Amino acid sequence: MIDLHEGWQLAEAPLGADARALTALPAEAWLPAVVPGTAHGALLAAGRIPDPFYGMNEAAVRWVAERRWAWRLAFEVGELSDHEDLAFEGLDTYCTVWLNGERLLESDNMFVPRRVDVRRCLQPGRNELLLCFEPPLASAREVEAVHGKRQLWNGDSARLHARKAQYHFGWDWGPELIVSGPWRAVRRHSWSARVDDLHCRSEVDVAAGRATLHVTARAIGGTGLRCAFELLDADGHSVASQLVPADAARATLNISEAQLWWPRGLGGQPLYTLVARLMDGERIVAQDSRRTGLRTLRLVQAPIEGEAGSSFHFEVNGQAFFAGGANWIPDDNLLERITPARYRERVAQAADANMNMLRVWGGGIYEHEAFYEACDELGLLVWQDFMFACGLYPANEDYLASVRAEAEAAVTRLRHHACLALWCGNNEDYMLAESVGLAGPGVPADRFEARAIYEGLLPAVCEALDPDTTYWPGSPFTPGDGARSSDATVGDRHSWEVWHQQMLPYQRYGDVQARFVSEFGMQSHPSLALLESVLPEAERFPGSRTLQWHNKAGSAAGPDGHRRLAVYLADNVRVGPTLAAHVYATQFVQAEAMRVAYQDFRRRWQRPGARAVGGALVWQLNDCWPVTSWALIDASGSAKPAWHAVRRALAPLAVAVRLEDGQVRLAVTNGRAEACELTLQLRVFTMDGRQLVSERILQAVPASTSVETTQAVPRTDEPVVAELCALDADGLELARDCAWTEPFRFYSLAGARLVIEAEGQALRLSCDRPVKGLWLQQAGLDLEDNFIDLVPGSERRIVSRIALPSELEALALELPSRRVSLRGKGG
């Protein structure tokens, strides 16, 4: 298998030009290019277009998507093998391929890999491979002209007819960059025999610690071959093997001491490697392998004690757990820039935030192997959407055939991953159908024709190719004839009453809980440094035209993200006039919203039989460009304050405190498989630092359970802050949370004396008055905790993962930003 990635060239292709005409283009028409790649990427590298992410350049590069683009590669071939294939892992999207002037294929689905036998037209010596990509939007509109316009949210309606990443057409968090090109690997494969469709299904007896693998493979080519299956454990030791005839390559492998794979926080992630070798005597003529984990996983939908509906939660190896995590979008618009290291970094950030699940959203792509491998290794389960989002998709014969090929390719490629938890038919398509009267109570099922995809084609493919993984028709989805997808008592739900819809205060997230909240969120700006890198200097102020351009949120009335942000700011905090002040304020509100949301959802994960909320996946983890969005991590990879709020709320042991009239409500969530005995320390302070309450409460918390209690406190007319800490038997702090009299805009937190000192590779923090939302920042700063609240009388110690800088910037609510020297005290 030989990568054909270097030496490519790109040229604009005249309308209607065929292979002969493209080959005849003059040398000066061609630019250097690389594969995987896009026309936008090649033009950017050659200096022919400006950075699409800077300023409003998005509009200045739209012409690129309106042109045809030719790619060519000259490559040398020596002696030919028995079989010669060209393998195209992804062609985006409307593409014709020629080899030495002979047409090989035409493709119109970027998610379908293609393998072509080229033995007849490949020649020893020089060969020329030529690809021509048609303008994606114009091509999609030609199909739309035949099959008709359909309703959608986000982007151009023609996208519904294009089997292409839907976010390329523009979304409410991303630019319109309709890229094209060979977006995944192009390879030459010379072979005499090969292993195809290696697959394993496992049966795991958790109690006995045993597992059985049923493995199959298809051998192509060769005669009289045998297939040697071997299973290696996480240390590379052989634990089972079997030799069978290659023309009936199936075997059963038994593991007597099975090492179980667990989601993050519940156990380890040992991975086995299954190897299949085609043997000609003692000679290996072909080989393939898969890494997998041994575990049981099921979706539980069971009655909930004292409540309507049924649960929606996951159980792994017999252990029920709360699925806390985030939605994942493609990490860039130019997909070739997302390296395996970048995938690993981003997935590791999710893991470091105590997440155990990521949902691959249906408007993006079936991600690179590096993403799923990182999830396997770090213990993050994957809720995998098929690539349909926010639209009424067609179901004509040609479209269904393309979707079937796409689904079969995706399921076959991904089914072995230990992280794969669920296949999901689409994102919000049932919601959209309901909004236009094509689904819902009293509406005949056949009014919504895409049901043929979500309730027919896709579940059939999954049943045939991956019957061990649950299939779910959509997100959100409520099972039952005529059911509404907004039902909070059954299935999964997108709780957008906060931010969208009624724009409820974020303090009311508890009112919009559901059995599984698969989307919710609050916007904020990215980091100030990232904004300044893409905003012209004259536009670096709140409300600027370019700043608004980098907020794609909108409605039928037009862009409105800036207006919604303004409402949430006005309701909660006082904001200074600078861009820096606005960045902090929006990130403050987002962090507070996420703290409330995750705490209110997770506290409903109660005893067995009362799992009222089984999971919460925030919209969204990451960004694809520098933008004001709902992401916890911006496009530079910088974690926002909300990331820290989520990390604390999803910790294996977490606490939450709420102020109520004459009392405080205390919640403790234990996500571990063992019960614990805690001491809860409650303290209440006034804003000038006087302590009103100091109580200690013994609390037993069963395994995998959330418990609540209340504690009476004196009534007062002045604002207060309540701090709750969970302590172990030795007095070591395990978790902390603070609740404040709100809204913050009604009172001042100015005047606190904040002391920050360096102690080796740690910071020591103290104050004489309560401090809210302390955010410490500096290039390269990597603290274990940040965006914290402080109260008098207890020093906080925060460890840095790397050496501390000589100074940093400290921001907090109502306290002016200032530089703090770490050579001594700062205050």
Side-chain angles (χ1 to χ4, degrees):
M1 188 75 79
I2 302 167
D3 289 341
L4 301 178
H5 292 168
E6 303 296 328
W8 286 86
Q9 293 179 307
L10 174 84
E12 183 176 340
L15 187 63
D18 60 8
R20 184 185 299 272
L22 295 175
T23 302
L25 289 174
E28 59 269 21
W30 296 90
L31 300 172
V34 295
V35 170
T38 58
H40 283 78
L43 293 167
L44 181 61
R48 298 295 181 90
I49 61 172
D51 182 354
F53 292 173
Y54 184 82
M56 296 189 286
N57 286 344
E58 172 194 348
V61 302
R62 282 186 179 143
W63 65 270
V64 178
E66 298 167 359
R67 310 294 173 85
R68 300 174 82 222
W69 294 100
W71 297 66
R72 73 176 183 183
L73 174 70
F75 63 101
E76 296 292 324
V77 171
E79 184 179 349
L80 298 179
S81 297
D82 294 342
H83 299 276
E84 293 283 355
D85 293 348
L86 286 180
F88 303 89
E89 292 191 3
L91 299 170
D92 182 8
T93 292
Y94 301 95
C95 179
T96 304
V97 180
W98 297 270
L99 178 63
N100 297 329
E102 181 173 332
R103 182 179 301 202
L104 297 183
L105 65 89
E106 292 185 6
S107 178
D108 63 359
N109 187 324
M110 74 176 282
F111 305 122
V112 177
R114 304 291 295 270
R115 174 185 281 268
V116 186
D117 180 353
V118 295
R119 182 67 171 75
R120 69 189 183 283
C121 55
L122 195 68
Q123 56 196 25
R126 185 181 185 278
N127 292 261
E128 184 174 77
L129 182 58
L130 189 63
L131 318 177
C132 186
F133 291 87
E134 304 297 328
L137 183 56
S139 299
R141 283 176 175 168
E142 290 177 7
V143 182
E144 182 182 54
V146 175
H147 296 287
K149 283 184 176 287
R150 294 159 179 272
Q151 289 172 292
L152 79 166
W153 297 324
N154 295 299
D156 190 286
S157 61
R159 72 169 172 82
L160 302 175
H161 299 272
R163 293 314 301 150
K164 173 176 174 57
Q166 302 287 274
Y167 83 109
H168 287 167
F169 295 85
W171 221 264
D172 60 2
W173 37 259
E176 179 190 316
L177 280 177
I178 310 178
V179 298
S180 66
W183 73 290
R184 281 197 167 147
V186 176
R187 296 188 171 102
R188 173 190 166 209
H189 191 190
S190 303
W191 56 282
S192 59
R194 62 186 176 91
V195 179
D196 188 56
D197 199 24
L198 176 60
H199 182 39
C200 65
R201 297 179 63 185
S202 61
E203 298 175 12
V204 180
D205 186 332
V206 174
R210 295 192 298 266
T212 300
L213 265 62
H214 303 283
V215 300
T216 60
R218 184 166 63 247
I220 300 178
T223 57
L225 303 178
R226 294 177 298 166
C227 183
F229 291 111
E230 184 177 23
L231 187 68
L232 309 175
D233 67 14
D235 297 319
H237 301 135
S238 180
V239 294
S241 62
Q242 195 168 344
L243 186 65
V244 299
D247 57 0
R250 59 180 62 247
T252 300
L253 305 179
N254 296 306
I255 304 98
S256 58
E257 297 180 0
Q259 302 175 50
L260 297 183
W261 186 96
W262 294 87
R264 187 171 183 83
L266 293 177
Q269 292 81 41
L271 294 169
Y272 289 80
T273 301
L274 173 65
V275 184
R277 301 181 181 93
L278 294 184
M279 310 293 297
D280 183 2
E282 297 301 313
R283 184 170 65 94
I284 301 172
V285 297
Q287 178 173 308
D288 198 6
S289 64
R290 299 284 186 275
R291 282 205 310 171
T292 191
L294 301 179
R295 47 77 171 157
T296 66
L297 182 68
R298 70 186 187 106
L299 173 64
V300 180
Q301 298 180 83
I304 299 173
E305 184 180 310
E307 299 191 29
S310 58
S311 69
F312 189 107
H313 70 272
F314 292 89
E315 182 182 280
V316 63
N317 301 329
Q319 172 68 51
F321 66 97
F322 182 88
N327 286 264
W328 170 277
I329 66 170
D331 207 52
D332 206 319
N333 284 85
L334 303 185
L335 292 165
E336 67 268 27
R337 300 197 295 205
I338 314 175
T339 63
R342 183 162 153 189
Y343 274 116
R344 178 81 183 198
E345 175 189 354
R346 207 66 73 243
V347 173
Q349 286 176 298
D352 288 344
N354 292 311
M355 295 181 180
N356 58 26
M357 180 175 281
L358 293 175
R359 173 183 171 229
V360 177
W361 167 76
I365 60 172
Y366 306 97
E367 289 291 346
H368 190 278
E369 278 297 300
F371 170 82
Y372 301 97
E373 290 171 356
C375 290
D376 284 343
E377 294 165 9
L378 296 174
L380 278 89
L381 289 165
V382 172
W383 169 311
Q384 178 67 55
D385 282 7
F386 287 97
M387 295 298 114
F388 303 89
C390 300
L392 300 180
Y393 287 87
N396 58 73
E397 185 176 343
D398 289 344
Y399 192 83
L400 291 179
S402 183
V403 168
R404 179 176 294 278
E406 168 189 324
E408 289 174 348
V411 174
T412 301
R413 179 170 71 92
L414 301 178
R415 62 190 174 185
H416 66 281
H417 284 284
C419 63
L420 184 62
L422 178 140
W423 292 103
C424 177
N426 69 82
N427 172 79
E428 294 187 352
D429 290 0
Y430 284 93
M431 282 179 65
L432 179 56
E434 290 168 16
S435 74
V436 296
L438 297 181
V443 180
D446 59 4
R447 294 285 303 281
F448 182 24
E449 67 174 304
R451 287 183 191 270
I453 301 173
Y454 313 137
E455 298 174 33
L457 189 158
L458 293 178
V461 169
C462 290
E463 176 61 29
L465 299 178
D466 188 19
D468 302 320
T469 302
T470 297
Y471 174 82
W472 189 246
S475 181
F477 181 76
T478 300
D481 292 339
R484 291 190 183 278
S485 60
S486 58
D487 192 329
T489 68
V490 182
D492 74 310
R493 186 177 195 271
H494 293 184
S495 291
W496 281 113
E497 290 83 357
V498 178
W499 180 267
H500 289 303
Q501 299 174 21
Q502 304 97 303
M503 291 185 65
L504 289 180
Y506 68 74
Q507 292 85 352
R508 291 182 58 186
Y509 263 120
D511 296 343
V512 295
Q513 61 184 266
R515 298 303 178 224
F516 194 103
V517 187
S518 43
E519 281 191 23
F520 64 98
M522 174 64 63
Q523 268 202 354
S524 76
H525 292 317
S527 68
L528 180 62
L530 181 58
L531 277 181
E532 290 181 341
S533 73
V534 297
L535 297 180
E537 188 170 355
E539 291 285 287
R540 296 174 189 172
F541 60 88
S544 76
R545 183 189 301 271
T546 311
L547 183 62
Q548 182 173 318
W549 185 272
H550 284 254
N551 185 344
K552 297 297 187 180
S555 62
D560 68 356
H562 59 293
R563 296 174 61 199
R564 292 174 187 264
L565 268 180
V567 169
Y568 282 101
L569 292 179
D571 283 349
N572 290 284
V573 294
R574 288 177 281 177
V575 188
T578 65
L579 181 59
H582 273 249
V583 168
Y584 175 80
T586 63
Q587 293 190 346
F588 177 99
V589 169
Q590 183 192 36
E592 286 298 295
M594 293 304 96
R595 179 183 71 87
V596 170
Y598 276 98
Q599 288 177 349
D600 279 0
F601 297 151
R602 198 178 179 201
R603 69 181 177 83
R604 296 277 283 144
W605 177 259
Q606 298 174 353
R607 61 192 177 279
R611 310 296 200 188
V613 178
L617 308 178
V618 66
W619 187 269
Q620 65 224 57
L621 179 73
N622 57 323
D623 272 330
C624 63
W625 77 310
V627 63
T628 298
S629 80
W630 302 267
L632 305 184
I633 301 166
D634 70 24
S636 70
S638 297
K640 300 179 184 179
W643 182 89
H644 290 277
V646 171
R647 178 185 53 78
R648 291 189 289 264
L650 286 178
L653 183 78
V655 296
V657 57
R658 297 286 189 273
L659 291 168
E660 299 178 350
D661 186 26
Q663 66 178 19
V664 291
R665 183 169 299 276
L666 315 176
V668 184
T669 300
N670 180 12
R672 299 175 295 194
E674 304 83 25
C676 59
E677 300 277 343
L678 303 172
T679 297
L680 299 182
Q681 175 183 280
L682 173 68
R683 297 190 295 166
V684 179
F685 294 86
T686 62
M687 295 301 102
D688 61 6
R690 288 174 290 117
Q691 183 170 294
L692 302 180
V693 174
S694 179
E695 298 284 350
R696 291 202 169 200
I697 307 154
L698 296 178
Q699 181 69 63
V701 190
S704 190
T705 298
S706 182
V707 298
E708 288 188 274
T709 186
T710 59
Q711 179 72 26
V713 296
R715 285 183 168 84
T716 178
D717 292 332
E718 59 183 325
V720 298
V721 54
E723 180 199 64
L724 176 65
C725 294
L727 311 175
D728 67 9
D730 297 322
L732 179 68
E733 181 182 306
L734 303 175
R736 179 193 298 251
D737 186 45
C738 289
W740 300 68
T741 303
E742 297 188 47
F744 298 101
R745 63 188 171 92
F746 281 171
Y747 56 90
S748 174
L749 286 172
R753 182 175 181 272
L754 173 64
V755 177
I756 302 174
E757 299 175 302
E759 182 183 74
Q761 203 161 301
L763 295 175
R764 290 167 48 198
L765 313 173
S766 61
C767 62
D768 61 347
R769 297 184 183 186
V771 173
K772 176 63 188 173
L774 176 61
W775 181 235
L776 305 171
Q777 58 184 5
Q778 178 67 30
L781 188 64
D782 188 11
L783 300 176
E784 288 186 344
D785 200 7
N786 208 336
F787 192 73
I788 62 173
D789 297 349
L790 296 175
V791 295
S794 61
E795 187 177 77
R796 295 288 301 277
R797 187 174 185 272
I798 301 177
V799 175
S800 174
R801 296 182 181 90
I802 59 176
L804 289 168
S806 60
E807 64 175 16
L808 52 76
E809 182 181 15
L811 300 85
L813 196 66
E814 298 291 316
L815 295 181
S817 169
R818 58 203 183 279
R819 304 299 301 178
V820 177
S821 172
L822 297 181
R823 297 185 180 89
K825 292 185 178 181

